[in-house]
Amino acid sequence: MADAAGSPSPPEALVLEGISESRTFWQDARRRFFRNRLAVLGLVIVSFLVILAVFADLLAPFPYDFVRFDRVLKLPFVFPENPLGTDEVGRDYLSRLIYGARTSLIVAFSVQGIALLIGMPLGALAGYFGGRVDFVITRIIDIMTAFPSLLFAILIISVLGGGLRTIIVALSLTSWIIIARLTRSQVLTLREQDFTVAARALGAPEWRIMMRHLLPNALTPILVAVSLGIPTAIFAEAGLSFLGLGVNDPIASWGKMVGVSNAYVRVYWHLALFPTLAIALTMLGFSFLGDGIRDALDPKQER
Amino acid sequence: MTRYILERFASLILVLFAVSIIVFTLMHSVPGGPFDESKGRLPPAAKENILRKYGLDKPVWQQYLNYMSHALRFDFGIPYQQPQTTVAKLIGKTWAVTVQVGLMTILVAFSLGIFAGMYAAYHQNSWIDNVVTFTATLGVTVPNFVVAMWFILFFAVARQWLPMGGWSSSGQCLIGNYLCTDWILPVIAYALAPMAIVARYTRASIVDVKRADYVRTARAKGVSERVVMRRHVFRNAQIPMVTALGTEIPNLITGSIFIESIFRINGLGKFFVTSTLNRDYPMIMATFLLVALLWGITYMLTDIAYTWIDPRVRLGSKGEG
């Protein structure tokens, strides 16, 4: 069990008594992660989703926009080619579900990626330079937290119109806040630490201190925030598409499938059941994975 | 204390102004508006008249000042979708429904959440504790419209026990238009997540406090178990609960867009979606201001509630160090 991480350990005889084998932080983290059963379950679910998303073209029996007008609203198992039935315009539901994974993951990863690209530099600038820069950036953060981020996303979408790209923009605009705030507080504490002072005393330029000394040390909590931000983004995309404010037809989105199914739920239960299960499974998978990463990287936090 | 409240109030007003400017510029920064003739052509004279009537022919900053001077007198204009009424009236009407949903949800979420959390904390690591923890995880991670859909599929479609949607409109009511059967599914689906959060907070804080020295001292003095629980454990476990309350109440009061859409409840949330789809500027502005105001006020009240529950907490910039 102790070697679940798969790292080769030296033979027992070679280990001196009283001196344990030295392990790096990342080896430790990996060991902690793989001991956590829920985290491993999360990893399995997420890997499955990633495979679905990447190989959707090979795995799905039909293209996501393939319409058969003679097979509109068929329940599961009526036709062997459509094991999960068909939707309201005659598209294979299993294929739509598989492509839905792709939409979810594209939105989630792009949003968190952009949030990192905006949030980290802004937070670092605010924390490092303080003063007027800090004042402006913290005020922006304050204003952005004054109302629910979902409402803000809806506002952006109502201005720019729906679609995959707009959703990514709208969600990125709100999700950088968390990253920026976190980076700022990290940099604030790291800036006064001895190694930073030493680097400055040795005459290292500001950008080098920031890039080599501050950001790498602030990385762990940011990584945790990103891994927990992914399910939030998935939820937001599903929610917006559910309201009809999200991705446009014919792109498959689980949220939109749930929203459309609301009108048919009395008879065609399959339209509602499968995408809701997919959303729930995805959310659970990413949350378990995120919690696992947090517990593995920061053993002091929580319990 | 007074000074702190005044400072917070001033910053709240600043945030409100910033929000109004952001929303206003965003709404006016794109081409197209409610009268952009996508739904049929208008004669130029008629269009000009309409634009003049709604003040849309003036420059944006003038439109903004005009709007704000009216807004300060609680006149938020006329909704484009329903010109026969005013924004204030329309928001009042839809918000009344939303507040009903919200209050019921708060009642259910907090009573059940605190109860479940306390029970789980006193019976730590029992199977009930595990069930509470598991449900809490589910409630927090699975979106409420997904849970709502499962409820509909089971309680309204597979077993026709409860109505599929509506609010005081489909089903029997206990008292007049209140406590109806169609309240049950939306309230429970909506309450699940806050209930989970409350249960988690309650459990964690009670487990923490239960082992504190002063609790042991109280027991050693021979204080009865019930008094220990009420006066020592529960009182100190209240602080995290206030945090949960403070973050959840503005959400619950401003309504869930999802719950209102899926159960077809004509509340503020559902109306907000139709307003954005129709680019109804006055409605969108007013809704945003309302939400920002409510959030700001509840955050302020939460901070004040801290000092009331725990006199050790000091507010203001001095205490922060």
Side-chain angles (χ1 to χ4, degrees), chain A residues 146 158 235 265 276 283-284 287, chain B residues 15 141 143 150 164 258 262 279:
Chain A
S158 77
F235 164 72
V265 74
T276 46
M283 293 294 290
L284 284 175
S287 303
Chain B
V15 165
T141 39
W150 290 343
M164 279 180 63
F258 302 121
I262 204 163
R279 288 238 186 106

Side-chain angles (χ1 to χ4, degrees), chain A residues 11 31 46 59 111 143 181 192 207 212 223 277 288:
Chain A
R31 189 177 293 240
V46 170
L59 294 170
V111 165
I143 291 166
R181 194 189 283 156
E192 305 302 331
W207 61 267
R212 292 294 298 264
L223 192 67
L277 285 178
F288 289 159

Side-chain angles (χ1 to χ4, degrees), chain A:
Chain A
M1 193 61 197
D3 283 321
S7 56
S9 54
E12 287 299 314
L14 283 181
V15 180
L16 292 173
E17 208 176 318
I19 301 171
S20 58
E21 166 197 5
S22 78
R23 278 183 263 126
T24 66
F25 171 73
W26 292 104
Q27 281 171 333
D28 253 351
R30 199 169 54 186
R31 189 177 293 240
R32 273 193 297 269
F33 181 86
F34 280 99
R35 272 195 203 144
N36 183 344
R37 265 180 297 166
L38 278 183
V40 174
L41 178 64
L43 183 67
V44 170
I45 295 174
V46 170
S47 318
F48 174 66
L49 288 167
V50 170
I51 291 172
L52 282 188
V54 173
F55 299 107
D57 301 311
L58 300 173
L59 294 170
F62 297 98
Y64 62 90
D65 52 356
F66 180 73
V67 174
R68 274 192 72 168
F69 292 114
D70 55 335
R71 289 203 182 157
V72 172
L73 286 170
K74 295 295 174 216
L75 288 170
F77 310 119
V78 175
F79 293 100
E81 307 94 277
N82 308 116
L84 298 184
T86 60
D87 70 1
E88 74 287 353
V89 291
R91 292 174 297 206
D92 179 48
Y93 220 47
L94 176 64
S95 309
R96 302 277 295 162
L97 281 170
I98 294 175
Y99 278 100
R102 181 179 278 185
T103 311
S104 267
L105 295 196
I106 286 178
V107 172
F109 287 128
S110 326
V111 165
Q112 287 303 311
I114 299 173
L116 265 183
L117 285 181
I118 306 176
M120 236 165 72
L122 281 185
L125 283 177
Y128 193 73
F129 291 112
R132 210 169 293 165
V133 183
D134 187 30
F135 182 82
V136 171
I137 293 173
T138 6
R139 281 300 88 74
I140 297 175
I141 292 176
D142 280 352
I143 291 166
M144 296 288 283
T145 36
F147 42 74
S149 54
L150 199 70
L151 228 56
F152 189 78
I154 292 176
L155 179 75
I156 301 283
I157 289 165
S158 77
V159 170
L160 299 179
L164 196 61
R165 212 174 299 161
T166 319
I167 291 189
I168 293 174
V169 170
L171 295 178
S172 307
L173 278 178
T174 51
S175 54
W176 67 271
I177 301 287
I178 299 169
I179 310 272
R181 194 189 283 156
L182 196 67
T183 315
R184 176 177 173 273
S185 68
Q186 283 291 315
V187 169
L188 269 182
T189 47
L190 291 171
R191 166 178 89 165
E192 305 302 331
Q193 305 238 315
D194 289 344
F195 60 85
T196 321
V197 177
R200 200 172 294 136
L202 287 172
E206 300 285 345
W207 61 267
R208 194 185 153 84
I209 295 176
M210 186 117 77
M211 297 304 286
R212 292 294 298 264
H213 299 278
L214 298 187
L215 284 184
N217 281 297
L219 215 55
T220 330
I222 293 170
L223 192 67
V224 171
V226 167
S227 67
L228 291 172
I230 285 177
T232 316
I234 289 179
F235 164 72
E237 184 275 321
L240 290 170
S241 301
F242 165 79
L243 295 172
L245 295 163
V247 300
N248 297 325
D249 250 0
I251 296 173
S253 153
W254 294 332
K256 196 171 60 186
M257 289 156 91
V258 181
V260 169
S261 77
N262 206 4
Y264 303 95
V265 74
R266 228 179 260 279
V267 183
Y268 304 105
W269 50 268
H270 67 290
L271 294 184
L273 184 64
F274 297 129
T276 46
L277 285 178
I279 294 172
L281 189 73
T282 308
M283 293 294 290
L284 284 175
F286 274 104
S287 303
F288 289 159
L289 182 65
D291 285 346
I293 291 177
R294 181 194 58 203
D295 293 345
L297 291 183
D298 194 357
K300 280 168 292 179
Q301 236 183 32
E302 293 271 305
R303 80 199 71 180

